[in-house]
Amino acid sequence: MDQSQNQRPATTATTPSRSFQFHPARGPILDLFNLYLGLGQNTRQKPEDSLRDPPNKTQKRVHALNRELPPPNEQFILDFEQLQSQFPDQDQLRSVTEAILISLVVQCSGHGPRADFLLFVLRSLCGIGCINWDSLLPSLLSSVSSAELPVGQLSQAVPTVSSSSLSQTGVLPPSSTIANSSNFQSSNPASPLTSVHTIGSPAQPTIEPLSCAAMSPVKSSDISSTGQQSKLGGSPSVRNNDISNSSLRQLCCKIILTGLEFSLKPLTYAEIFHHMLNWLVNWDQRQQGIDESDIIKSWRPDKAIIAWLHSCLDVIWLLVDEGKCRVPFYELLRSDLQFIENIPDDEALFTLILEIHRRRDMMAMHMQMLDQHLHCPTFGTHRILNQTTPNVSGEAVAHLRLSPITYLSVLGEPLHGEDIASSIQKGSLDWERAVRCIRHALRTTPSPDWWRRVLVLAPCYRPSSQVPTAGAVFSSEMICEATIDRIVELLKMTNSEINCWQDWLVFSDIFYFLIKSGCIDFVDFVDKLVSRLTEGDHHILKTNHVTWLLAQIIRIELVMNALNSDSRKVETTRKILSFHREDRSSDPNNPQSILLDFVSSCQNLRIWSLNSSTREYLNNEQLQKGKQIDEWWRQASKGDRMMDYMNMDERSIGMFWVVTYTMAQPACETVMNWLNSAGVADLLPGTNLQPAERLMATREVSPLPMSLLSGFSINLCAKLSYQMEESLFSGQVIPSIAMVETYTRLLLLAPHSLFRSHFNHLVQRNPSLLSKPGVTLLVLEILNYRLLPLYRYQGKSKALMYDVTKIISAIKGKRGDHRVFRLAENLCLNLIFSLRDFFLVKREGKGPTDFTETLNRVTVITLAILIKTRGIADADHLLYLQNMLEQIMATSHHTWSEKTLHHFPSVLREALSGRSDKRSLAIQTWQQAETTVIHQCTQLLSPSADPSYVMTYISHSFPQHRQYLCAGALILMHGRAENINSGNLGRVLREFSPEEVTSNIYTMVDVLLHHMQIELQQGHSLQDLMLKACASLAFFVWTNELLPLDILLLALIDRDDDPHALRIVISLLDRQELLQRVKLFCMTRVHPEHWLSTGMFKRAELQKALGNHLAWKDRLIENDAMDAAERLLAMYSPLLAYYPLRFTFVRDILAYFYVNNVIPPLHNNSKSGSMGDASNNTLRTAQSKPPAVSQSGPANASEGQKAFYQIQDPGTYTQLVLETAVIEILSLPSSNALHGGSNSVGQGSVLPTSPSGGSTDSLGASRSTPSVSGINTSNFASRSGYTCQQLSCLLIQACGLLLAQLPSDFHSQLYLETTRIIKENWWLKDGTRSLGEIDSAVGYALLDPTWAAQDNTSTAIGNVVALLHSFFSNLPQEWLEGTNVIIKQLRPVTSVAMLRIAFRIMGPLLPKLANAHALFNKTLSSLLSILVDVFGKNSQTMIAVDVSDIADIIDFLHHVVHYEGQGGPVQASSKPRPEVLALIGRASENLRPDIQHLLSHLNPDVNSSVYAASHPKLVQNPT
């Protein structure tokens, strides 16, 4: 039958299609039906009348008394055949008959005998081929929907859905009724979809199915979200409609059940399924028109409703019956049927909903990775969102709220946002997961940027107009509970005599940040803290730490409001005062003890000043104690005495800390007085100053030590930082280095509370500040040499890069400004080197980059390192990368050599390899200009040159000649500095723009290398040429410091295809001029940790300060200069200690070259050993490795939490350990690293395994395994705040992260080892076990390690699968290519148990690959291959297993292909891609028939697949 016959009428359903309304057969056929139904002749005249007034029993009886009895039913078919013979077009006759039958079904459904007759007729007509179920049933359902509309809406019904429109909108058309009515939206937090059925969504509103089809018996406008009662409420017509509709649905279901005895088209099944679901979901809509007193009865529907409900269920069970598989059972899982709010008191419907939940939960297991919820916030790598495209502005990307913790619902859609967080019930599993994550964050202190992404304002502080926050994942209550948990943890540690003062300091910084951010309701927090400490842990509060913690935040505005104007201020104040405890320290003169002893007095004094109504509750003794503070302060600041902060005894330090809480302003003034106490002096004019210019500078004193600053109240720190900024950036006198150092120490001390983005912050204070060159220079120095790690910790590196780029863009073409430009460019270089994810090279996202030539080149190198060491995280990033390269290439003139491109990742190599080499063009230009350039340089640079020619040259030379000035000077020098006039050269270069100087460096290098080639050909000695070249370059860089060393080295390195370029680099790095400067640099700075310096600083010339980056190291290794690279690394390793991001630096370099197989094998000769020792000692300077002793106590204080400034790279101690472990593993000989511990993951590992694995012995320090980076395992466990069981799960997760850092060569070894462990498991190899036992063992083995460890039920397989999942989670998408090795190693799979394990391992990867179609297909194909191994037609081991035993796998396959077709969480309109349907179709041909038909809809055949039949591409091209 052609498709046109499936089209349904676009008129109201009670009127026959207009195309057949005047057909000559219509009248006789209608008369025949009326005769047998006993309806009389009047019905033929106005069939609509009988529809508009539903028949009641009285009317039926009256008619029955006034007519003759109809003929017997058996006669009907004979009469019909006589009529049939009179009309030649049988198709039209069938259509007319179906239209009449449908109208009669609607009309007669309430009359039992007539309904029975119509059922009889349908069967009879079907027998003679006069019924096409594929056209009748969809039209019938549409007509029923229209018939259930109120009379007033009959004329408003919209066109119904045809099979052709279905193919445009998805599989099954949802009813917009439910989507538009708030009364019927699902409240299920696990599904973001609001329609009744999530399968299919209209592409255009004009082809929406009947918009009010299910809104019977009242109008949609009457069922508004205001909840107003319908005007029809309780009327007889409403109740009659309920009865009529029930009988109509009952009859309709009977007809459908008859039709289902025949083979129908997929779209017919789909439409039946949709209507049945719609009826079930909206079964109680009739209640909208009933009085409130009847609402209670809605839970117990009457018999009529129960009858059609059960008939609907019969239809649905037949549709999803796995024997026929007319519609995949997955469609029920995908619907919202299980989430209807008003479930009727009906066992049959409840049974279906229960089965949906059961199978949905089983399917969900394959979507989620084991231990998914434990992903630690500190482990998250910030990635660009999938939705981010190249046309999104950089500003927008910078402010996108990324949720690092995103819970996946059972169907894989991410659940995030405030609404979801608020819906989680306290005490539930999700609540515990969320609080556990926050607890971990409070212990490991992720950056404030992470907190900002996940926090939300507490309801009490939120403006009423504020909409819910989409990016938040934690509610205010969760943050509050976890914060109290952390306080209790710290109190327990304090009570056990552990020195955890640093832990309290770190926590107070975060606590201040959380309270000030308004994400904790302060009054509620105090209530809950009191309850916890008085009821749950009533013996735990023995010290004054809680009082001290609250004293830190008491000046925050929200807290002051709570204590001053809140209605509960008295109660809150009393509770705060109840935390006071008398200090019982064994060392009363210890500064911390003194602070804790007096802090209650500080708090009482502050509350006394806040509110007079609460003074009666204050402790008078503590108020009197405040006099001791005043007296000490009077004595300490008496007369003209200046507090000597460098020579304070412990008691003085403690008392001054106390003063910072009571008298912050006087304390601030004394600190500022100290920093200015040495007075001012004239600054000697430097080389860049005019002789007449006079500058005043503050004389140096010692900066305040960290040990003193750490005890200051956060309130004083904020005041100090603000006051210092006034002196540093707005004063008329050049500030002392001591003030700059103290300022940066404050910011590093409290990274959460005090951070400010300097450029924005200073502009807000004074818009003209940054227009002063001196201020800009100072800000750049502070950022480059002190605060770079802080900005990275804050997630502000990109924003800072854009701010600095603005400065560079503004001055790179201006004459002069070299100091500001070079410092800004150096800062940008460091920022780019430190970036570890994709970034926009321009904030606005479009147009050529504003970078300099050097920054463009470095960006490309950084991209190479990034892609190679971290991979491309997402398929969408390839588009993003292409856009970046186009922006860079628009302004960069460089061409990378073949040697360099060889080491680039392929995607970068392909994008850059086509660029034409402009070097030969540059040499041609030089040869053309050489005569003129040499003539000009001779006049300008000869020793006896006229000084006045400088201005002539600057004013009259052409740009194409100026770019060769340094090249000309190099030629004239002939390796002897005295041959040229360095004074004139310096004056000219200072008048150039900074970018002109850079251009001179690049052209000079090209000309130098070109001339060396020519002179070699002329017979000159290479050694002489090298000496001459190096001497000339040393003149430029060191003798007169005319050119920056870093740019020169980069220029030479970028010419690594020249045979002499890298030799020159090595020679320059070997020169004594540089080595002496490095030695002097290290001597004058003493400590790489600048915050440890306590002496007075000496002001140095800025030009002599070295940059922080070591850009030369890469190419030496690439070009096989191994010995030179090793020697230089050893030589400069002391300098590396001063690089703030040194751990990341070393890790990335090792990872970059390891993958290229260019790192030589380790050996034990003296040269290698000494170099390794030197670097190891240097790298671990800052770690202060603790002694490996087992007892807890003061001796192990260094094992506690460290301040941010001590671990600036990479920002958390956890990551420091992990990154260091990566370095150590990479440095091991490969044989030991990969094969030495082959049995370590089994029963003897530190991971607990059943039956005794959960014991504390599994993490004992007695094991022979070496501790990583100084962690003592037993003490680490006790101090971590975790139980050993929880720690074992974190260990799995940490190992997954750690292993993911290793190169891809290692991945295959990991996959081999894990599959070996799985295959050798004893119960999988035991052939005597029954299928039931094995099945049970699989379920047991794959328990989530979090819960398994708590119950001492962990298994080796569960731990291995969790390890793989943690590993997968940390791999970029690009590197998941090799995961298919796991399937290859597990094959041949011959049992359902192994099949389940394979799906459990690989299944969660498929959603992760939703946007990487090729890799998705490859992984899916692998999984299908093992399905064929077990259930194939030609399988060697025929397994006697019921197909229902793998129903979850079948459901999962259905879901994941929809997920991939959508490219993310399944939506209403999601469709599988045709290629995937074809892939599964081909694989299913090899399956046993009983399995094959379960996948019958996952194939491209439009005649058998619901999905193919509704797919536009497949419908248009059925072949």
Side-chain angles (χ1 to χ4, degrees), residues 1031-1059:
S1032 300
L1033 294 175
F1035 161 80
F1036 282 109
V1037 175
W1038 291 305
T1039 306
N1040 288 278
E1041 295 187 348
L1042 296 173
L1043 300 177
L1045 171 65
D1046 52 357
I1047 309 299
L1048 176 64
L1049 290 176
L1050 285 170
L1052 284 163
I1053 289 168
D1054 278 338
R1055 294 303 182 212
D1056 61 347
D1057 52 344
D1058 186 282

Side-chain angles (χ1 to χ4, degrees), residues 489-515:
E489 283 176 1
L490 289 173
L491 286 173
K492 289 178 178 177
M493 291 168 65
T494 303
N495 293 340
S496 62
E497 301 300 323
I498 294 175
N499 183 1
C500 56
W501 178 242
Q502 185 59 57
D503 301 66
W504 280 106
L505 290 174
V506 172
F507 176 67
S508 70
D509 180 35
I510 301 175
F511 182 63
Y512 185 97
F513 169 76
L514 295 176
I515 294 291

Side-chain angles (χ1 to χ4, degrees), residues 1068-1269:
L1068 288 175
L1069 293 172
D1070 260 338
R1071 289 185 72 91
Q1072 285 302 309
E1073 294 99 327
L1074 180 57
L1075 293 175
Q1076 287 171 2
R1077 281 167 168 78
V1078 170
K1079 186 176 181 180
L1080 181 63
F1081 179 88
C1082 297
M1083 284 176 58
T1084 54
R1085 275 147 186 83
V1086 185
H1087 292 291
E1089 295 81 6
H1090 54 82
W1091 59 88
L1092 294 178
S1093 298
T1094 55
M1096 286 190 285
F1097 286 85
K1098 293 182 179 179
R1099 195 176 296 276
E1101 283 290 327
L1102 180 68
Q1103 296 93 323
K1104 294 181 180 178
L1106 291 175
N1108 281 333
H1109 53 282
L1110 301 172
W1112 44 268
K1113 76 282 165 184
D1114 305 358
R1115 308 297 175 78
L1116 300 180
I1117 303 176
E1118 281 183 352
N1119 289 271
D1120 299 326
M1122 299 305 305
D1123 292 339
E1126 194 170 350
R1127 178 169 48 81
L1128 289 170
L1129 280 170
M1131 192 182 300
Y1132 288 98
S1133 60
L1135 187 62
L1136 183 62
Y1138 292 88
Y1139 182 53
L1141 308 178
R1142 53 188 175 272
F1143 287 99
T1144 310
F1145 164 81
V1146 173
R1147 179 257 178 215
D1148 285 342
I1149 297 309
L1150 286 174
Y1152 184 80
F1153 294 111
Y1154 188 96
V1155 295
N1156 288 309
N1157 296 314
V1158 294
I1159 289 184
L1162 293 180
H1163 38 78
N1164 294 321
N1165 63 23
S1166 58
K1167 180 174 64 175
S1168 253
S1170 62
M1171 186 265 167
D1173 291 342
S1175 4
N1176 283 346
N1177 292 336
T1178 306
L1179 288 175
R1180 292 173 189 170
T1181 304
Q1183 284 185 251
S1184 58
K1185 192 170 183 177
V1189 291
S1190 58
Q1191 69 270 20
S1192 300
N1196 282 346
S1198 59
E1199 280 192 32
Q1201 193 169 13
K1202 296 196 176 189
F1204 165 73
Y1205 60 84
Q1206 293 174 302
I1207 47 171
Q1208 296 179 46
D1209 178 43
T1212 68
Y1213 185 58
T1214 307
Q1215 280 199 332
L1216 179 74
V1217 170
L1218 290 172
E1219 296 274 359
T1220 308
V1222 171
I1223 298 168
E1224 291 181 350
I1225 287 179
L1226 278 174
S1227 67
L1228 292 173
S1230 60
S1231 59
N1232 291 342
L1234 297 181
H1235 306 296
S1238 60
N1239 295 318
S1240 61
V1241 196
Q1243 296 289 340
S1245 76
V1246 295
L1247 301 179
T1249 51
S1250 180
S1252 61
S1255 68
T1256 52
D1257 293 339
S1258 61
L1259 275 171
S1262 59
R1263 294 186 180 275
S1264 58
T1265 4
S1267 63
V1268 178
S1269 299

Side-chain angles (χ1 to χ4, degrees), residues 1413-1487:
H1413 299 311
L1415 188 50
F1416 177 90
N1417 290 352
K1418 182 178 178 181
T1419 307
L1420 178 61
S1421 182
S1422 295
L1423 286 171
L1424 291 172
S1425 68
I1426 59 171
L1427 194 64
V1428 172
D1429 283 351
V1430 180
F1431 293 107
K1433 292 177 181 177
N1434 304 318
S1435 176
Q1436 297 299 316
T1437 55
M1438 293 298 289
I1439 298 173
V1441 63
D1442 192 87
V1443 292
S1444 62
D1445 290 343
I1446 59 164
D1448 57 320
I1449 291 178
I1450 301 298
D1451 292 337
F1452 167 69
L1453 289 172
H1454 280 80
H1455 181 63
V1456 82
V1457 299
H1458 281 84
Y1459 193 97
E1460 191 258 357
Q1462 179 66 33
V1466 177
Q1467 305 294 327
S1469 57
S1470 301
K1471 306 178 184 70
R1473 289 189 305 118
E1475 302 95 304
V1476 175
L1477 290 179
L1479 173 68
I1480 298 176
R1482 289 191 298 271
S1484 65
E1485 292 175 2
N1486 300 315
L1487 290 170

Side-chain angles (χ1 to χ4, degrees), residues 34 54 161 284 348 455 481 629 661 686 816 914 922 947 1307 1338 1418 1514:
N34 287 339
V161 177
D284 62 340
L455 294 180
E481 180 177 320
I629 306 172
Y661 287 83
H1307 298 181
V1338 170
K1418 182 178 178 181
L1514 294 173

